[in-house]
Amino acid sequence: MNPVPARPLVAMRDVAVAFGPFQALRGVSLDVEAGQVLCFVGASGSGKTTLLRTVNQLVPVDRGAIYLDGELQGRRRVGDRLHALGEGEIARQRMNTGMVFQRFNLFAHMTALQNVTEGPVQVQRRRPAEARAEALDLLARVGLADKAGNYPAQLSGGQQQRVAIARALAMKPKLMLFDEPTSALDPERVGEVLAVMKRLARSGMTMMVVTHELGFAREVADRVVYMDAGAIVESGSPAEVLGAPREARTRAFLSAVIA
Amino acid sequence: MTTGAPVPLAAGFGDLSELRTARRAHGGRWLAAALILAVLALLVRAFARGQIEWDYVGRFLTVPVILDGIVATVVMAVCAMALGIVLGVAVAIMRLTPNPVLRAVAAGYTWLFRGTPVILQLLLWFNLALVFPVIGIPGLWSGRAVDLMTPFFAALLGLGINQGAYTSEVVRAGLLSVDQGQYEAAQTIGMGRMTALRRIILPQAMRVIIPPLGNEFIGMVKTTSLASVIQYPEVLHNAENIYYANSRVIELLIVAGIWYLAVVSVLTPLQMLLERRFARGVAGGRR
C-alpha cells in the first residue's frame, strides 16, 4: 500500500456565516493537525467564537465545508447534491468534539459528578458504575476530587470551569474547543484553569482555543491565528504572530492589548 | 477597617455602648388586630343567630353521598390535571420547536380552548352524540357516543383539555426561563432535543413551573364543580341533590364549602414539598 498522506483532523474550506446583515465569517479556510494547539486571538466581533461554534455545529454554515477526521460535518453528499443531516446524525458528530464555554454552562441541577457522568450514561449508554469511576478520575485530574458532590452554585468560577473541562473530556472527544474559557473568571482564578489546559495540551489533545491570554498562547500554542472582520489576517507560530507580526492590523491589535 | 485600640469618638458624638435599644411599640398592629377580632365576633354572632341549623351541617358533613362526592371531586381534579399537564408540556414543547406546522397547531389549540368558557366545552363534550352518533376508529372499533360520553369521561376531556391550554403557557414560561447556555451545553455532549429537554431543561424549568401550577391545581379542584351541569356526581352536585330533597340549601352549601377548604388546605403543603425538591442546586435551595 502507498503511504497515506497525513490528513488534518480539522479541515475548514471557505466557511462563511452571516447573522442577518452581519457577515460573521467571510470564507475562512484552516487546517488543524491532530495533536496541535491553535489559539485564536482578535477583537470581539472578529469571528473567533463563531468559527469555533461552526466546528461543532452550534452555528450552521451558510457556505463552505468543514471536515472532522475526514467526515463532512452537518451534510451528506448524495450523488451531486448535499443533504442536511438529521438531528440524530448531527448529535453523533458533535460527540467528536468537546466544548468549554466562557460562562461554564454546568447543569445547575446536578452535582459536579453528575455533570461529568451525564453524557457518558445518557448519550453513550455506558454503564453507570464505569462512567462514575472514570468521572471521579477526571475530576481528580482537574484537582477537584473532593468537590464531586458539590452543586455548581457551591463552586468558584475556576472550579466550575474545571468541572466543565472534565465534563467535555468524559465524552472522549477527538478535539477540544475552548471559547474564552478564562474571560468570566476572577483574575486569581485564571491560573488554575490555564494550568489544567496546559496539561491537557501536553497530553497530546488537539485544541482550538479562543483566548485573550497571550501569555498562554505564547507558551502553549503550536499556531496562533489572528482574526479580524470575519477573516484570518495572519497565522503562524507564536513567535511569528505575537513576536514579529507581518500585518499592520495585527500589530495594532497587539499594541492595544499589551499596552 | 482598622483593628486594635478603639478610636475615640469626635466631640459631639455620645458614647452609646451602654444604652439598650427599646423595641418598637407597633400600636397600629394591636389596633388593627382588635378591630378585625371585633368584626369577626359580629360575623360569628350573626351566623349563629341567623337561620342556619348548624346541627344539619354537622350531620351532613360525613354522610356517604357527600363523602362519595368529595372523592369524585378529588379524583376528577387529579385526572384532569394529569391530562392537562401532559397536554400542556407537549404543547409548550411544540410551540418552541423550529417546525412551523407544530407551532401553528399548538398556538391554535391554546387559542381555541382558552378562548371559550370551560362550561361550554363541558356541555359540548357531553353532547357530542348530537354531532357524532357513532365514534371510533374506522375498521377497528366503534361505539355509540351516548354510551361512551359518560359524565366522567366528558368532564375529564372538558376540564383536562381546557387545563392543557393554560398549563402550556405556564410550562412555556418555565422552559424560556432556563438559560440558553444549558441547552447548548447539552447539545455539545451529543444530546438530541428531546433528551436535552427531559434531562436538562425541564428539571430546571420545574422550579419556575411549580408555583403557578400549584395555583392551577387549586383552581381545578374548584372548577370540577362546573361538571355538576353534566351530572358528574362531584361534591357540589351531590350537595344540591340533597337540598332539592330537604330544602336545607345554606347548610349543604356550607358542607360543600368546608370540604373544598379541607382539600385545598392539604394541597398547599404538598406544593411546598415539591418546590423544595426542585430547588436543588439553586442558591438557598436544599442541598
Side-chain angles (χ1 to χ4, degrees):
Chain A
M1 273 187 45
N2 294 323
V4 182
R7 182 180 67 185
L9 182 66
V10 183
M12 304 179 76
R13 289 294 174 273
D14 193 27
V15 172
V17 172
F19 300 120
F22 176 66
Q23 197 72 36
L25 285 181
R26 303 170 187 268
V28 172
S29 296
L30 179 78
D31 283 349
V32 184
E33 309 292 336
Q36 270 194 339
V37 176
L38 259 69
C39 283
F40 294 81
V41 298
S44 46
S46 60
K48 327 180 283 293
T49 292
T50 305
L51 183 145
L52 211 63
R53 290 163 71 90
T54 58
V55 175
N56 68 354
Q57 307 183 52
L58 285 182
V59 172
V61 301
D62 295 329
R63 195 185 74 216
I66 299 172
Y67 293 86
L68 180 61
D69 207 9
E71 186 183 1
L72 179 64
Q73 300 292 292
R75 283 164 297 166
R76 176 189 293 117
R77 185 171 177 167
V78 182
D80 53 0
R81 294 190 67 148
L82 291 172
H83 294 262
L85 293 182
E87 196 204 357
E89 280 291 294
I90 289 176
R92 184 187 59 74
Q93 289 188 335
R94 279 205 185 103
M95 276 191 269
N96 291 320
T97 59
M99 184 154 192
V100 175
F101 297 88
Q102 182 178 354
R103 301 217 54 92
F104 330 133
N105 294 350
L106 288 184
F107 304 134
H109 61 308
M110 295 180 179
T111 62
L113 181 64
Q114 289 168 332
N115 264 278
V116 181
T117 56
E118 180 70 6
V121 173
Q122 294 296 326
V123 181
Q124 294 178 331
R125 299 284 163 203
R126 310 249 315 272
R127 290 215 322 276
E130 181 190 306
R132 189 187 143 86
E134 272 184 32
L136 287 170
D137 184 49
L138 278 167
L139 285 174
R141 274 167 55 193
V142 298
L144 293 172
D146 55 331
K147 301 288 183 189
N150 286 42
Y151 285 97
Q154 298 166 309
L155 299 173
S156 73
Q159 291 170 336
Q160 287 189 57
Q161 195 61 299
R162 287 184 280 154
V163 174
I165 293 172
R167 173 176 71 180
L169 291 175
M171 301 296 287
K172 300 185 173 34
K174 296 172 180 164
L175 168 72
M176 282 287 286
L177 307 172
F178 292 85
D179 183 11
E180 302 197 23
T182 59
S183 298
L185 297 178
D186 294 335
E188 73 270 24
R189 297 291 187 176
V190 169
E192 66 193 56
V193 172
L194 292 181
V196 167
M197 290 170 64
K198 281 177 202 167
R199 255 184 287 143
L200 190 59
R202 277 199 289 274
S203 76
M205 175 60 77
T206 314
M207 292 163 59
M208 295 171 76
V209 184
V210 171
T211 187
H212 295 300
E213 297 288 336
L214 297 185
F216 174 82
R218 216 170 265 126
E219 186 182 342
V220 181
D222 296 296
R223 266 168 75 201
V224 175
V225 177
Y226 171 67
M227 293 186 69
D228 187 35
I232 294 176
V233 176
E234 75 177 284
S235 81
S237 72
E240 288 166 359
V241 176
L242 301 177
R246 290 188 309 270
E247 301 287 330
R249 274 189 290 174
T250 316
R251 283 197 292 273
F253 171 75
L254 288 174
S255 64
V257 172
I258 294 166
Chain B
M1 288 284 285
T2 56
T3 52
V7 181
L9 282 165
F13 294 93
D15 186 356
L16 306 180
S17 58
E18 297 299 310
L19 303 180
R20 287 196 317 136
T21 304
R23 291 175 59 183
R24 286 180 59 188
H26 293 306
R29 291 183 193 178
W30 288 104
L31 185 65
L35 276 173
I36 288 163
L37 280 176
V39 170
L40 273 178
L42 282 172
L43 270 174
V44 168
R45 199 177 82 116
F47 273 92
R49 286 191 170 181
Q51 302 199 349
I52 298 172
E53 300 200 33
W54 287 99
D55 51 330
Y56 265 94
V57 173
R59 203 184 312 160
F60 278 97
L61 197 59
T62 52
V63 295
V65 182
I66 292 293
L67 292 181
D68 290 349
I70 196 66
V71 168
T73 293
V74 171
V75 165
M76 178 54 65
V78 169
C79 292
M81 199 66 201
L83 178 61
I85 289 172
V86 169
L87 286 172
V89 170
V91 169
I93 291 171
M94 283 164 71
R95 285 199 70 166
L96 295 173
T97 59
N99 183 332
V101 179
L102 290 182
R103 278 210 311 266
V105 169
Y109 165 83
T110 309
W111 170 78
L112 183 64
F113 288 98
R114 233 172 28 165
T116 49
V118 65
I119 194 163
L120 180 146
Q121 292 173 37
L122 284 168
L123 290 167
L124 276 177
W125 285 112
F126 192 54
N127 293 302
L128 200 67
L130 299 176
V131 192
F132 308 106
V134 176
I135 49 181
I137 306 157
L140 274 178
W141 167 90
S142 66
R144 294 201 314 150
V146 187
D147 305 330
L148 268 161
M149 245 347 129
T150 59
F152 176 85
F153 202 56
L156 176 64
L157 287 178
L159 295 172
I161 291 175
N162 182 265
Q163 186 59 48
Y166 285 94
T167 304
S168 74
E169 286 297 278
V170 171
V171 175
R172 193 165 70 95
L175 295 179
L176 290 175
S177 76
V178 179
D179 183 55
Q180 179 68 17
Q182 295 284 311
Y183 184 57
E184 287 186 350
Q187 285 181 302
T188 60
I189 57 167
M191 283 191 177
R193 261 188 72 78
M194 281 303 137
T195 314
L197 274 169
R198 183 172 56 82
R199 297 283 312 170
I200 308 299
I201 309 298
L202 263 176
Q204 295 186 63
M206 291 306 280
R207 201 172 58 82
V208 175
I209 291 172
I210 284 179
L213 209 58
N215 207 27
E216 298 273 306
F217 190 33
I218 285 170
M220 174 61 85
V221 170
K222 295 168 294 172
T223 309
T224 51
S225 60
L226 289 181
S228 61
V229 299
I230 56 169
Q231 314 306 319
Y232 181 68
E234 48 74 49
V235 69
L236 185 62
H237 180 260
N238 290 4
E240 284 178 319
N241 275 351
I242 299 174
Y243 72 62
Y244 290 148
N246 70 3
S247 300
R248 303 289 175 188
V249 177
I250 297 298
E251 287 82 354
L252 278 145
L253 288 179
I254 289 174
V255 164
I258 288 171
W259 275 112
Y260 281 117
L261 276 173
V263 171
V264 170
S265 304
V266 172
L267 289 176
T268 312
L270 282 182
Q271 179 185 334
M272 282 173 61
L273 283 178
L274 271 180
E275 282 181 24
R276 260 199 279 169
R277 168 79 173 73
F278 283 103
R280 274 177 314 173
V282 179
R286 196 178 57 136
R287 303 301 192 195

